[in-house]
Amino acid sequence: AQSVTQLDSQVPVFEEAPVELRCNYSSSVSVYLFWYVQYPNQGLQLLLKYLSGSTLVESINGFEAEFNKSQTSFHLRKPSVHISDTAEYFCAVSQAIQGAQKLVFGQGTRLTINP
Amino acid sequence: DAGITQSPRHKVTETGTPVTLRCHQTENHRYMYWYRQDPGHGLRLIHYSYGVKDTDKGEVSDGYSVSRSKTEDFLLTLESATSSQTSVYFCAISTGASGANVLTFGAGSRLTVL
């Protein structure tokens, strides 16, 4: 069975500082990996995804994540955060069953940006 | 928002009462999902559907049933609500190219069982 572990439940950082949110997964098969973001009182939005190809994937708002197969990790990074990045971030691995994409989520990391 | 509407958005009910949450989509997607979100657990899959009248269980299906009589509607029913089912429920649909579909989520339904 696949599983996802997000190593930090909360990460406080100062504005304009770099941040890394850690994610490790376990799977015996090829995986698709995702980061979703949930802003306060909203649903989840896709931030970025790794399907194949380049192991470094980027989002439109400056986040990037690197797929590391040997370490089974998919850490999320941003070199300089903004107040607007305050949200909860979820790492997920996809499992295809009968054509359905069942996502297995980590526990979430709450990112708090302090001015 | 990929045309996903959840209703009701908020509901307070009492233990033992039945509750039905509705997910409606406007884009004719085949796959639909119900997740629940709880602090410290992330999101967990309750049930999913791969077509009209075709559904299957997820990892936390006990106490829940689903129905899909039309492509656009996926209903989640709690036959007799319990306090442990207090949660935020999210519906999702699969979008994107086959084989690596991305999930798009609704805005959520917050259920409180007293």
Side-chain angles (χ1 to χ4, degrees):
Chain A
Q2 295 171 317
S3 66
V4 176
T5 302
Q6 292 183 241
L7 298 164
D8 306 290
S9 60
Q10 297 187 61
V11 173
V13 295
F14 288 106
E15 193 172 16
E16 298 184 6
V19 69
E20 178 180 78
L21 307 184
R22 296 178 293 169
C23 172
N24 287 95
Y25 69 93
S26 67
S27 175
S28 58
V29 298
S30 297
V31 296
Y32 302 128
L33 292 160
F34 304 83
W35 277 98
Y36 280 82
V37 58
Q38 184 179 34
Y39 298 105
N41 299 312
Q42 295 186 26
L44 278 75
Q45 304 172 32
L46 178 67
L47 186 61
L48 47 75
K49 62 184 184 285
Y50 170 77
L51 305 179
S52 64
S54 173
T55 57
L56 185 66
V57 291
E58 299 177 350
S59 72
I60 58 173
N61 57 353
F63 283 94
E64 64 179 29
E66 186 162 19
F67 170 58
N68 188 319
K69 187 175 182 179
S70 63
Q71 298 187 8
T72 61
S73 68
F74 191 54
H75 301 332
L76 181 69
R77 302 184 182 94
K78 189 171 185 180
S80 177
V81 295
H82 302 283
I83 291 287
S84 59
D85 293 324
T86 295
E88 190 155 21
Y89 293 80
F90 294 93
C91 182
V93 62
S94 179
Q95 179 181 17
I97 295 182
Q98 295 178 312
Q101 290 294 328
K102 295 169 63 176
L103 287 186
V104 176
F105 285 87
Q107 301 90 329
T109 298
R110 188 170 300 276
L111 177 62
T112 304
I113 313 298
N114 299 306
Chain B
D1 215 7
I4 304 173
T5 304
Q6 291 186 231
S7 59
R9 293 291 314 281
H10 301 272
K11 186 172 181 64
V12 180
T13 192
E14 295 188 350
T15 297
T17 60
V19 176
T20 294
L21 305 180
R22 179 181 182 237
C23 178
H24 178 79
Q25 57 139 332
T26 60
E27 298 186 358
N28 208 35
H29 292 286
R30 179 180 176 187
Y31 300 101
M32 300 182 75
Y33 310 78
W34 276 108
Y35 283 84
R36 61 177 288 174
Q37 181 182 19
D38 304 288
H41 293 277
L43 280 80
R44 292 176 292 176
L45 182 65
I46 306 171
H47 282 279
Y48 66 99
S49 170
Y50 46 96
V52 173
K53 300 192 189 306
D54 291 324
T55 65
D56 206 348
K57 296 178 180 180
E59 62 178 308
V60 290
S61 59
D62 288 348
Y64 301 94
S65 63
V66 290
S67 65
R68 192 163 178 205
S69 58
K70 300 183 292 184
T71 298
E72 58 265 36
D73 287 326
F74 192 31
L75 304 181
L76 177 70
T77 296
L78 292 65
E79 300 290 348
S80 178
T82 67
S83 58
S84 65
Q85 293 175 312
T86 292
S87 187
V88 182
Y89 292 86
F90 287 97
C91 174
I93 59 176
S94 287
T95 60
S98 174
N101 290 347
V102 171
L103 292 195
T104 300
F105 287 83
S109 295
R110 182 176 296 275
L111 176 65
T112 302
V113 183
L114 303 176

